[in-house]
């Protein structure tokens, strides 16, 4: 499952066929896109082209990209122009993040990125239907708006932000729905470092979990 492109939702694919024009002309609200280092998770330390789509209906209180929530505040950019930036960056893979990127049908964007020769990673809370052609799915489930069950068979990496004990229960609840091959990661919230001892103690007692840190923040890169 990890090495093959995943294609989702026949319904969504049919819907795209009804979109007039070409996938390159489909527009997405784009907050920012940039070439940087993936700081978190299994692919931490690798160069990656980040595409941050605007719009989020999850609204975590500790969110560090609240300016992404209202998509009307961000310009709509054609897929072709987004992909051009990614292709020119020299990145081997793009990370589609948000906001909550699954608020948008990702089929045109992911298809175009793959046609440009990039692998496509997704970071999502899983709270909206899964669309797109994806090589890697990071599920970061939020208690405020739970993931849809349909995403769990496709999860490559489960990454749970932990602030308190209740989050560890939430992490286990979600891990129980993921494939046995999924990487299981617990991550402290940057502005709440008091959770680090809790996570360290939990991982020592439950070694199926690993710790993910936001290393890009230590390096002061976006
Ligand atoms: S899902 Fe992500 S973008 Fe949305 S509020 Fe939570 S942390 Fe922020």
């Amino acid at each position: 499952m990890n090495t093959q492109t995943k294609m989702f939702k026949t319904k969504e694919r049919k819907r795209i066929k009804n979109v007039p024009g070409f996938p390159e002309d489909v527009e997405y609200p784009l907050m920012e896109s940039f070439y940087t280092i993936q700081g978190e998770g299994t692919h931490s330390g690798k160069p990656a082209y980040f595409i941050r789509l605007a719009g989020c209906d999850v609204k975590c209180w500790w969110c560090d990209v609240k300016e992404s929530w209202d998509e009307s505040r961000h310009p709509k950019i054609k897929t072709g122009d987004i992909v051009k930036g990614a292709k020119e960056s020299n990145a081997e893979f793009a990370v589609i993040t948000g906001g909550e990127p699954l608020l948008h049908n990702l089929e045109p964007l992911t298809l175009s990125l793959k046609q440009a020769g990039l692998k496509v990673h997704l970071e999502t809370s899983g709270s909206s239907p899964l669309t797109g052609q994806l090589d890697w799915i990071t599920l970061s489930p939020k208690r405020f708006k739970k993931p849809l069950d349909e995403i769990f068979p496709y999860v490559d990496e489960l990454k749970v932000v932990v602030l308190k004990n209740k989050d560890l229960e939430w992490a286990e609840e979600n891990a129980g729905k993921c494939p046995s091959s999924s990487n299981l990661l617990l991550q402290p919230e940057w502005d709440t470092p008091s959770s680090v001892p809790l996570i360290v103690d939990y991982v020592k007692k439950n070694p199926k979990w690993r710790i993910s840190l936001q290393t890009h923040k230590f390096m002061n890169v976006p």
Side-chain angles (χ1 to χ4, degrees):
M1 190 68 81
N2 286 4
T3 54
Q4 291 179 337
T5 296
K6 302 164 187 125
M7 289 180 264
F8 305 104
K9 299 201 74 76
T10 307
K11 197 170 62 179
E12 297 293 341
R13 293 173 69 74
K14 280 185 183 152
R15 202 170 89 201
I16 278 305
K17 283 181 186 162
N18 294 330
V19 173
F22 300 97
E24 290 74 17
D25 292 332
V26 175
E27 294 180 333
Y28 292 89
L30 182 69
M31 179 176 155
E32 57 184 350
S33 56
F34 48 94
Y35 189 34
T36 187
I37 303 295
Q38 168 61 287
E40 304 177 7
T42 305
H43 295 283
S44 177
K46 295 181 183 175
Y49 192 81
F50 272 68
I51 298 168
R52 187 182 305 284
L53 300 181
C56 184
D57 58 354
V58 182
K59 304 201 164 112
C60 310
W61 63 264
W62 41 260
C63 178
D64 59 1
V65 282
K66 288 193 171 81
E67 60 273 35
S68 72
W69 292 2
D70 181 358
E71 67 176 76
S72 69
R73 291 178 52 192
H74 301 280
K76 294 211 163 182
I77 307 293
K78 285 187 176 177
T79 295
D81 292 329
I82 298 172
V83 173
K84 185 169 180 281
K87 193 174 178 183
E88 289 174 355
S89 73
N90 199 40
E92 290 184 357
F93 66 97
V95 179
I96 302 177
T97 186
E100 173 41 70
L102 286 179
L103 283 178
H104 313 284
N105 187 334
L106 296 181
E107 188 71 20
L109 178 58
T110 56
L111 178 67
S112 297
L113 285 165
K114 293 195 74 64
Q115 286 174 342
L118 284 93
K119 290 196 182 307
V120 185
H121 295 197
L122 174 69
E123 304 220 355
T124 178
S125 71
S127 58
S128 291
L130 184 58
T131 54
Q133 303 194 21
L134 301 158
D135 298 289
W136 184 267
I137 295 178
T138 300
L139 176 66
S140 186
K142 307 297 189 308
R143 282 191 282 128
F144 320 102
K145 200 164 192 296
K146 295 185 176 182
L148 302 179
D149 281 342
E150 66 177 41
I151 198 169
F152 285 103
Y154 305 105
V155 173
D156 296 296
E157 172 181 87
L158 176 69
K159 186 174 67 183
V160 182
V161 177
V162 175
L163 288 87
K164 49 192 175 185
N165 267 311
K166 210 169 175 186
D167 299 315
L168 296 169
E169 292 169 24
W170 173 241
E172 289 292 354
E173 181 182 329
N174 283 275
K177 298 179 182 177
C178 290
S180 57
S181 58
S182 303
N183 294 342
L184 303 178
L185 304 172
L186 300 175
Q187 182 168 293
E189 197 272 320
W190 180 256
D191 291 321
T192 319
S194 56
S195 66
V196 170
L198 177 69
I199 297 172
V200 168
D201 185 55
Y202 193 81
V203 169
K204 283 161 73 178
K205 289 176 181 156
N206 300 275
K208 70 179 181 183
W209 292 94
R210 285 159 44 195
I211 294 175
S212 171
L213 297 176
Q214 294 179 294
T215 61
H216 55 293
K217 296 196 176 183
F218 288 101
M219 294 186 285
N220 199 25
V221 296

PDB file of all heavy atoms in Angstrom, residues 49-78:
ATOM      1  N   TYR A  49       8.372  20.160  -1.120  1.00  0.00           N
ATOM      2  CA  TYR A  49       7.658  21.367  -1.550  1.00  0.00           C
ATOM      3  C   TYR A  49       6.288  21.367  -0.877  1.00  0.00           C
ATOM      4  O   TYR A  49       5.467  20.483  -1.105  1.00  0.00           O
ATOM      5  CB  TYR A  49       7.496  21.379  -3.071  1.00  0.00           C
ATOM      6  CG  TYR A  49       7.036  22.717  -3.601  1.00  0.00           C
ATOM      7  CD1 TYR A  49       7.940  23.753  -3.802  1.00  0.00           C
ATOM      8  CD2 TYR A  49       5.694  22.950  -3.884  1.00  0.00           C
ATOM      9  CE1 TYR A  49       7.522  24.994  -4.275  1.00  0.00           C
ATOM     10  CE2 TYR A  49       5.264  24.184  -4.363  1.00  0.00           C
ATOM     11  CZ  TYR A  49       6.196  25.197  -4.555  1.00  0.00           C
ATOM     12  OH  TYR A  49       5.780  26.426  -5.029  1.00  0.00           O
ATOM     13  N   PHE A  50       6.068  22.348  -0.028  1.00  0.00           N
ATOM     14  CA  PHE A  50       4.818  22.416   0.733  1.00  0.00           C
ATOM     15  C   PHE A  50       3.782  23.256  -0.008  1.00  0.00           C
ATOM     16  O   PHE A  50       4.072  24.356  -0.494  1.00  0.00           O
ATOM     17  CB  PHE A  50       5.056  23.005   2.126  1.00  0.00           C
ATOM     18  CG  PHE A  50       5.440  21.968   3.145  1.00  0.00           C
ATOM     19  CD1 PHE A  50       6.661  21.315   3.068  1.00  0.00           C
ATOM     20  CD2 PHE A  50       4.574  21.625   4.178  1.00  0.00           C
ATOM     21  CE1 PHE A  50       7.018  20.336   3.989  1.00  0.00           C
ATOM     22  CE2 PHE A  50       4.909  20.653   5.106  1.00  0.00           C
ATOM     23  CZ  PHE A  50       6.128  20.000   5.012  1.00  0.00           C
ATOM     24  N   ILE A  51       2.572  22.722  -0.053  1.00  0.00           N
ATOM     25  CA  ILE A  51       1.440  23.428  -0.649  1.00  0.00           C
ATOM     26  C   ILE A  51       0.378  23.537   0.438  1.00  0.00           C
ATOM     27  O   ILE A  51      -0.233  22.527   0.829  1.00  0.00           O
ATOM     28  CB  ILE A  51       0.893  22.643  -1.869  1.00  0.00           C
ATOM     29  CG1 ILE A  51       1.976  22.541  -2.952  1.00  0.00           C
ATOM     30  CG2 ILE A  51      -0.377  23.291  -2.410  1.00  0.00           C
ATOM     31  CD1 ILE A  51       1.649  21.547  -4.053  1.00  0.00           C
ATOM     32  N   ARG A  52       0.202  24.741   0.954  1.00  0.00           N
ATOM     33  CA  ARG A  52      -0.763  24.921   2.061  1.00  0.00           C
ATOM     34  C   ARG A  52      -2.061  25.501   1.516  1.00  0.00           C
ATOM     35  O   ARG A  52      -2.130  26.683   1.163  1.00  0.00           O
ATOM     36  CB  ARG A  52      -0.186  25.846   3.141  1.00  0.00           C
ATOM     37  CG  ARG A  52      -1.083  25.909   4.383  1.00  0.00           C
ATOM     38  CD  ARG A  52      -0.555  26.860   5.460  1.00  0.00           C
ATOM     39  NE  ARG A  52       0.794  26.571   5.882  1.00  0.00           N
ATOM     40  CZ  ARG A  52       1.143  25.570   6.691  1.00  0.00           C
ATOM     41  NH1 ARG A  52       0.214  24.746   7.140  1.00  0.00           N
ATOM     42  NH2 ARG A  52       2.401  25.398   7.025  1.00  0.00           N
ATOM     43  N   LEU A  53      -3.069  24.645   1.414  1.00  0.00           N
ATOM     44  CA  LEU A  53      -4.377  25.091   0.942  1.00  0.00           C
ATOM     45  C   LEU A  53      -5.139  25.736   2.091  1.00  0.00           C
ATOM     46  O   LEU A  53      -5.030  25.302   3.240  1.00  0.00           O
ATOM     47  CB  LEU A  53      -5.168  23.907   0.377  1.00  0.00           C
ATOM     48  CG  LEU A  53      -4.508  23.175  -0.811  1.00  0.00           C
ATOM     49  CD1 LEU A  53      -5.413  22.044  -1.299  1.00  0.00           C
ATOM     50  CD2 LEU A  53      -4.202  24.136  -1.961  1.00  0.00           C
ATOM     51  N   ALA A  54      -5.912  26.761   1.751  1.00  0.00           N
ATOM     52  CA  ALA A  54      -6.674  27.475   2.776  1.00  0.00           C
ATOM     53  C   ALA A  54      -8.033  26.827   2.995  1.00  0.00           C
ATOM     54  O   ALA A  54      -8.563  26.142   2.117  1.00  0.00           O
ATOM     55  CB  ALA A  54      -6.834  28.931   2.371  1.00  0.00           C
ATOM     56  N   GLY A  55      -8.582  27.079   4.184  1.00  0.00           N
ATOM     57  CA  GLY A  55      -9.875  26.536   4.566  1.00  0.00           C
ATOM     58  C   GLY A  55      -9.701  25.456   5.610  1.00  0.00           C
ATOM     59  O   GLY A  55      -8.957  24.498   5.394  1.00  0.00           O
ATOM     60  N   CYS A  56     -10.343  25.635   6.763  1.00  0.00           N
ATOM     61  CA  CYS A  56     -10.324  24.575   7.780  1.00  0.00           C
ATOM     62  C   CYS A  56     -11.580  24.705   8.627  1.00  0.00           C
ATOM     63  O   CYS A  56     -11.912  25.795   9.094  1.00  0.00           O
ATOM     64  CB  CYS A  56      -9.082  24.653   8.660  1.00  0.00           C
ATOM     65  SG  CYS A  56      -9.024  23.251   9.821  1.00  0.00           S
ATOM     66  N   ASP A  57     -12.270  23.579   8.810  1.00  0.00           N
ATOM     67  CA  ASP A  57     -13.474  23.571   9.638  1.00  0.00           C
ATOM     68  C   ASP A  57     -13.263  22.785  10.935  1.00  0.00           C
ATOM     69  O   ASP A  57     -14.203  22.458  11.627  1.00  0.00           O
ATOM     70  CB  ASP A  57     -14.665  22.993   8.859  1.00  0.00           C
ATOM     71  CG  ASP A  57     -14.392  21.576   8.350  1.00  0.00           C
ATOM     72  OD1 ASP A  57     -13.250  21.088   8.510  1.00  0.00           O
ATOM     73  OD2 ASP A  57     -15.321  20.959   7.797  1.00  0.00           O
ATOM     74  N   VAL A  58     -11.992  22.485  11.245  1.00  0.00           N
ATOM     75  CA  VAL A  58     -11.691  21.702  12.449  1.00  0.00           C
ATOM     76  C   VAL A  58     -11.480  22.632  13.649  1.00  0.00           C
ATOM     77  O   VAL A  58     -12.021  22.439  14.720  1.00  0.00           O
ATOM     78  CB  VAL A  58     -10.461  20.802  12.222  1.00  0.00           C
ATOM     79  CG1 VAL A  58     -10.182  19.963  13.463  1.00  0.00           C
ATOM     80  CG2 VAL A  58     -10.681  19.892  11.020  1.00  0.00           C
ATOM     81  N   LYS A  59     -10.668  23.642  13.432  1.00  0.00           N
ATOM     82  CA  LYS A  59     -10.501  24.733  14.403  1.00  0.00           C
ATOM     83  C   LYS A  59      -9.958  24.292  15.764  1.00  0.00           C
ATOM     84  O   LYS A  59     -10.586  24.485  16.816  1.00  0.00           O
ATOM     85  CB  LYS A  59     -11.809  25.515  14.542  1.00  0.00           C
ATOM     86  CG  LYS A  59     -12.267  26.030  13.164  1.00  0.00           C
ATOM     87  CD  LYS A  59     -13.210  27.191  13.237  1.00  0.00           C
ATOM     88  CE  LYS A  59     -13.280  27.854  11.880  1.00  0.00           C
ATOM     89  NZ  LYS A  59     -14.411  27.808  11.135  1.00  0.00           N
ATOM     90  N   CYS A  60      -8.779  23.706  15.747  1.00  0.00           N
ATOM     91  CA  CYS A  60      -8.087  23.347  16.992  1.00  0.00           C
ATOM     92  C   CYS A  60      -7.676  24.635  17.715  1.00  0.00           C
ATOM     93  O   CYS A  60      -7.147  25.552  17.079  1.00  0.00           O
ATOM     94  CB  CYS A  60      -6.821  22.551  16.671  1.00  0.00           C
ATOM     95  SG  CYS A  60      -7.094  21.180  15.530  1.00  0.00           S
ATOM     96  N   TRP A  61      -7.842  24.677  19.013  1.00  0.00           N
ATOM     97  CA  TRP A  61      -7.554  25.934  19.727  1.00  0.00           C
ATOM     98  C   TRP A  61      -6.072  26.259  19.715  1.00  0.00           C
ATOM     99  O   TRP A  61      -5.653  27.406  19.793  1.00  0.00           O
ATOM    100  CB  TRP A  61      -8.111  25.906  21.158  1.00  0.00           C
ATOM    101  CG  TRP A  61      -7.514  24.859  22.060  1.00  0.00           C
ATOM    102  CD1 TRP A  61      -8.032  23.633  22.318  1.00  0.00           C
ATOM    103  CD2 TRP A  61      -6.302  24.950  22.818  1.00  0.00           C
ATOM    104  NE1 TRP A  61      -7.225  22.947  23.182  1.00  0.00           N
ATOM    105  CE2 TRP A  61      -6.152  23.730  23.514  1.00  0.00           C
ATOM    106  CE3 TRP A  61      -5.326  25.943  22.984  1.00  0.00           C
ATOM    107  CZ2 TRP A  61      -5.060  23.463  24.342  1.00  0.00           C
ATOM    108  CZ3 TRP A  61      -4.238  25.683  23.809  1.00  0.00           C
ATOM    109  CH2 TRP A  61      -4.116  24.460  24.477  1.00  0.00           C
ATOM    110  N   TRP A  62      -5.206  25.231  19.601  1.00  0.00           N
ATOM    111  CA  TRP A  62      -3.766  25.454  19.626  1.00  0.00           C
ATOM    112  C   TRP A  62      -3.169  25.593  18.224  1.00  0.00           C
ATOM    113  O   TRP A  62      -1.952  25.648  18.058  1.00  0.00           O
ATOM    114  CB  TRP A  62      -3.074  24.305  20.355  1.00  0.00           C
ATOM    115  CG  TRP A  62      -3.620  22.948  20.031  1.00  0.00           C
ATOM    116  CD1 TRP A  62      -4.497  22.220  20.781  1.00  0.00           C
ATOM    117  CD2 TRP A  62      -3.363  22.154  18.860  1.00  0.00           C
ATOM    118  NE1 TRP A  62      -4.788  21.030  20.145  1.00  0.00           N
ATOM    119  CE2 TRP A  62      -4.107  20.969  18.977  1.00  0.00           C
ATOM    120  CE3 TRP A  62      -2.561  22.345  17.730  1.00  0.00           C
ATOM    121  CZ2 TRP A  62      -4.085  19.973  18.003  1.00  0.00           C
ATOM    122  CZ3 TRP A  62      -2.543  21.369  16.758  1.00  0.00           C
ATOM    123  CH2 TRP A  62      -3.299  20.196  16.895  1.00  0.00           C
ATOM    124  N   CYS A  63      -4.013  25.680  17.208  1.00  0.00           N
ATOM    125  CA  CYS A  63      -3.547  25.729  15.808  1.00  0.00           C
ATOM    126  C   CYS A  63      -2.540  26.869  15.591  1.00  0.00           C
ATOM    127  O   CYS A  63      -2.755  27.999  16.030  1.00  0.00           O
ATOM    128  CB  CYS A  63      -4.746  25.942  14.899  1.00  0.00           C
ATOM    129  SG  CYS A  63      -4.301  26.090  13.160  1.00  0.00           S
ATOM    130  N   ASP A  64      -1.439  26.576  14.907  1.00  0.00           N
ATOM    131  CA  ASP A  64      -0.430  27.618  14.645  1.00  0.00           C
ATOM    132  C   ASP A  64      -0.554  28.210  13.241  1.00  0.00           C
ATOM    133  O   ASP A  64       0.303  28.974  12.822  1.00  0.00           O
ATOM    134  CB  ASP A  64       0.993  27.090  14.901  1.00  0.00           C
ATOM    135  CG  ASP A  64       1.343  25.885  14.044  1.00  0.00           C
ATOM    136  OD1 ASP A  64       0.499  25.461  13.232  1.00  0.00           O
ATOM    137  OD2 ASP A  64       2.473  25.371  14.187  1.00  0.00           O
ATOM    138  N   VAL A  65      -1.610  27.833  12.515  1.00  0.00           N
ATOM    139  CA  VAL A  65      -1.864  28.446  11.199  1.00  0.00           C
ATOM    140  C   VAL A  65      -3.333  28.881  11.096  1.00  0.00           C
ATOM    141  O   VAL A  65      -4.020  28.608  10.113  1.00  0.00           O
ATOM    142  CB  VAL A  65      -1.494  27.499  10.020  1.00  0.00           C
ATOM    143  CG1 VAL A  65      -0.020  27.469   9.777  1.00  0.00           C
ATOM    144  CG2 VAL A  65      -2.069  26.102  10.227  1.00  0.00           C
ATOM    145  N   LYS A  66      -3.777  29.599  12.117  1.00  0.00           N
ATOM    146  CA  LYS A  66      -5.190  30.026  12.143  1.00  0.00           C
ATOM    147  C   LYS A  66      -5.549  30.897  10.939  1.00  0.00           C
ATOM    148  O   LYS A  66      -6.704  30.947  10.516  1.00  0.00           O
ATOM    149  CB  LYS A  66      -5.478  30.792  13.437  1.00  0.00           C
ATOM    150  CG  LYS A  66      -5.508  29.906  14.694  1.00  0.00           C
ATOM    151  CD  LYS A  66      -6.115  30.655  15.878  1.00  0.00           C
ATOM    152  CE  LYS A  66      -6.375  29.756  17.069  1.00  0.00           C
ATOM    153  NZ  LYS A  66      -5.231  29.480  17.893  1.00  0.00           N
ATOM    154  N   GLU A  67      -4.548  31.581  10.393  1.00  0.00           N
ATOM    155  CA  GLU A  67      -4.810  32.429   9.228  1.00  0.00           C
ATOM    156  C   GLU A  67      -5.209  31.611   8.004  1.00  0.00           C
ATOM    157  O   GLU A  67      -5.659  32.159   7.002  1.00  0.00           O
ATOM    158  CB  GLU A  67      -3.607  33.326   8.927  1.00  0.00           C
ATOM    159  CG  GLU A  67      -2.306  32.608   8.614  1.00  0.00           C
ATOM    160  CD  GLU A  67      -1.475  32.256   9.853  1.00  0.00           C
ATOM    161  OE1 GLU A  67      -2.056  31.936  10.911  1.00  0.00           O
ATOM    162  OE2 GLU A  67      -0.236  32.294   9.741  1.00  0.00           O
ATOM    163  N   SER A  68      -5.060  30.299   8.101  1.00  0.00           N
ATOM    164  CA  SER A  68      -5.459  29.428   6.980  1.00  0.00           C
ATOM    165  C   SER A  68      -6.961  29.106   7.006  1.00  0.00           C
ATOM    166  O   SER A  68      -7.502  28.610   6.024  1.00  0.00           O
ATOM    167  CB  SER A  68      -4.678  28.109   7.029  1.00  0.00           C
ATOM    168  OG  SER A  68      -5.126  27.298   8.110  1.00  0.00           O
ATOM    169  N   TRP A  69      -7.627  29.359   8.118  1.00  0.00           N
ATOM    170  CA  TRP A  69      -8.991  28.853   8.293  1.00  0.00           C
ATOM    171  C   TRP A  69      -9.986  29.413   7.278  1.00  0.00           C
ATOM    172  O   TRP A  69     -10.809  28.684   6.756  1.00  0.00           O
ATOM    173  CB  TRP A  69      -9.503  29.163   9.707  1.00  0.00           C
ATOM    174  CG  TRP A  69      -8.797  28.402  10.794  1.00  0.00           C
ATOM    175  CD1 TRP A  69      -7.757  27.527  10.653  1.00  0.00           C
ATOM    176  CD2 TRP A  69      -9.078  28.452  12.197  1.00  0.00           C
ATOM    177  NE1 TRP A  69      -7.366  27.044  11.865  1.00  0.00           N
ATOM    178  CE2 TRP A  69      -8.162  27.581  12.834  1.00  0.00           C
ATOM    179  CE3 TRP A  69     -10.011  29.155  12.967  1.00  0.00           C
ATOM    180  CZ2 TRP A  69      -8.161  27.398  14.214  1.00  0.00           C
ATOM    181  CZ3 TRP A  69     -10.005  28.964  14.348  1.00  0.00           C
ATOM    182  CH2 TRP A  69      -9.093  28.090  14.956  1.00  0.00           C
ATOM    183  N   ASP A  70      -9.908  30.722   7.042  1.00  0.00           N
ATOM    184  CA  ASP A  70     -10.880  31.389   6.171  1.00  0.00           C
ATOM    185  C   ASP A  70     -10.336  31.430   4.743  1.00  0.00           C
ATOM    186  O   ASP A  70      -9.488  32.241   4.410  1.00  0.00           O
ATOM    187  CB  ASP A  70     -11.136  32.808   6.698  1.00  0.00           C
ATOM    188  CG  ASP A  70     -12.163  33.544   5.859  1.00  0.00           C
ATOM    189  OD1 ASP A  70     -12.648  32.978   4.855  1.00  0.00           O
ATOM    190  OD2 ASP A  70     -12.461  34.704   6.200  1.00  0.00           O
ATOM    191  N   GLU A  71     -10.868  30.556   3.890  1.00  0.00           N
ATOM    192  CA  GLU A  71     -10.284  30.473   2.544  1.00  0.00           C
ATOM    193  C   GLU A  71     -10.565  31.715   1.718  1.00  0.00           C
ATOM    194  O   GLU A  71      -9.850  31.990   0.760  1.00  0.00           O
ATOM    195  CB  GLU A  71     -10.756  29.208   1.820  1.00  0.00           C
ATOM    196  CG  GLU A  71     -12.215  29.157   1.467  1.00  0.00           C
ATOM    197  CD  GLU A  71     -12.539  27.899   0.662  1.00  0.00           C
ATOM    198  OE1 GLU A  71     -12.608  26.824   1.275  1.00  0.00           O
ATOM    199  OE2 GLU A  71     -12.724  27.992  -0.554  1.00  0.00           O
ATOM    200  N   SER A  72     -11.579  32.495   2.088  1.00  0.00           N
ATOM    201  CA  SER A  72     -11.885  33.697   1.302  1.00  0.00           C
ATOM    202  C   SER A  72     -10.787  34.759   1.442  1.00  0.00           C
ATOM    203  O   SER A  72     -10.736  35.708   0.669  1.00  0.00           O
ATOM    204  CB  SER A  72     -13.234  34.286   1.728  1.00  0.00           C
ATOM    205  OG  SER A  72     -13.153  34.840   3.030  1.00  0.00           O
ATOM    206  N   ARG A  73      -9.914  34.592   2.423  1.00  0.00           N
ATOM    207  CA  ARG A  73      -8.814  35.557   2.619  1.00  0.00           C
ATOM    208  C   ARG A  73      -7.611  35.257   1.726  1.00  0.00           C
ATOM    209  O   ARG A  73      -6.604  35.958   1.772  1.00  0.00           O
ATOM    210  CB  ARG A  73      -8.359  35.540   4.081  1.00  0.00           C
ATOM    211  CG  ARG A  73      -9.391  36.103   5.048  1.00  0.00           C
ATOM    212  CD  ARG A  73      -8.908  36.006   6.480  1.00  0.00           C
ATOM    213  NE  ARG A  73      -7.585  36.571   6.680  1.00  0.00           N
ATOM    214  CZ  ARG A  73      -6.856  36.399   7.775  1.00  0.00           C
ATOM    215  NH1 ARG A  73      -7.333  35.691   8.765  1.00  0.00           N
ATOM    216  NH2 ARG A  73      -5.652  36.934   7.880  1.00  0.00           N
ATOM    217  N   HIS A  74      -7.696  34.183   0.962  1.00  0.00           N
ATOM    218  CA  HIS A  74      -6.527  33.753   0.180  1.00  0.00           C
ATOM    219  C   HIS A  74      -6.878  33.661  -1.307  1.00  0.00           C
ATOM    220  O   HIS A  74      -8.020  33.340  -1.659  1.00  0.00           O
ATOM    221  CB  HIS A  74      -6.037  32.409   0.712  1.00  0.00           C
ATOM    222  CG  HIS A  74      -5.664  32.466   2.158  1.00  0.00           C
ATOM    223  ND1 HIS A  74      -4.460  32.972   2.588  1.00  0.00           N
ATOM    224  CD2 HIS A  74      -6.359  32.140   3.278  1.00  0.00           C
ATOM    225  CE1 HIS A  74      -4.415  32.932   3.907  1.00  0.00           C
ATOM    226  NE2 HIS A  74      -5.556  32.432   4.354  1.00  0.00           N
ATOM    227  N   PRO A  75      -5.896  33.926  -2.156  1.00  0.00           N
ATOM    228  CA  PRO A  75      -6.179  33.929  -3.599  1.00  0.00           C
ATOM    229  C   PRO A  75      -6.429  32.527  -4.137  1.00  0.00           C
ATOM    230  O   PRO A  75      -5.888  31.547  -3.612  1.00  0.00           O
ATOM    231  CB  PRO A  75      -4.884  34.513  -4.195  1.00  0.00           C
ATOM    232  CG  PRO A  75      -3.825  34.202  -3.195  1.00  0.00           C
ATOM    233  CD  PRO A  75      -4.487  34.245  -1.852  1.00  0.00           C
ATOM    234  N   LYS A  76      -7.257  32.452  -5.165  1.00  0.00           N
ATOM    235  CA  LYS A  76      -7.466  31.178  -5.851  1.00  0.00           C
ATOM    236  C   LYS A  76      -6.421  31.073  -6.965  1.00  0.00           C
ATOM    237  O   LYS A  76      -6.325  31.954  -7.821  1.00  0.00           O
ATOM    238  CB  LYS A  76      -8.872  31.115  -6.422  1.00  0.00           C
ATOM    239  CG  LYS A  76      -9.924  31.087  -5.330  1.00  0.00           C
ATOM    240  CD  LYS A  76     -11.151  30.320  -5.757  1.00  0.00           C
ATOM    241  CE  LYS A  76     -11.969  29.978  -4.534  1.00  0.00           C
ATOM    242  NZ  LYS A  76     -13.145  29.200  -4.797  1.00  0.00           N
ATOM    243  N   ILE A  77      -5.662  30.014  -6.915  1.00  0.00           N
ATOM    244  CA  ILE A  77      -4.543  29.829  -7.856  1.00  0.00           C
ATOM    245  C   ILE A  77      -4.807  28.586  -8.695  1.00  0.00           C
ATOM    246  O   ILE A  77      -5.244  27.554  -8.176  1.00  0.00           O
ATOM    247  CB  ILE A  77      -3.206  29.671  -7.087  1.00  0.00           C
ATOM    248  CG1 ILE A  77      -3.006  30.832  -6.103  1.00  0.00           C
ATOM    249  CG2 ILE A  77      -2.043  29.553  -8.061  1.00  0.00           C
ATOM    250  CD1 ILE A  77      -2.797  32.187  -6.715  1.00  0.00           C
ATOM    251  N   LYS A  78      -4.515  28.696  -9.978  1.00  0.00           N
ATOM    252  CA  LYS A  78      -4.723  27.556 -10.873  1.00  0.00           C
ATOM    253  C   LYS A  78      -3.747  26.428 -10.537  1.00  0.00           C
ATOM    254  O   LYS A  78      -2.578  26.672 -10.214  1.00  0.00           O
ATOM    255  CB  LYS A  78      -4.520  27.984 -12.330  1.00  0.00           C
ATOM    256  CG  LYS A  78      -5.676  28.790 -12.875  1.00  0.00           C
ATOM    257  CD  LYS A  78      -5.514  29.037 -14.354  1.00  0.00           C
ATOM    258  CE  LYS A  78      -6.749  29.757 -14.869  1.00  0.00           C
ATOM    259  NZ  LYS A  78      -6.650  30.090 -16.287  1.00  0.00           N
TER     260      LYS A  78
END
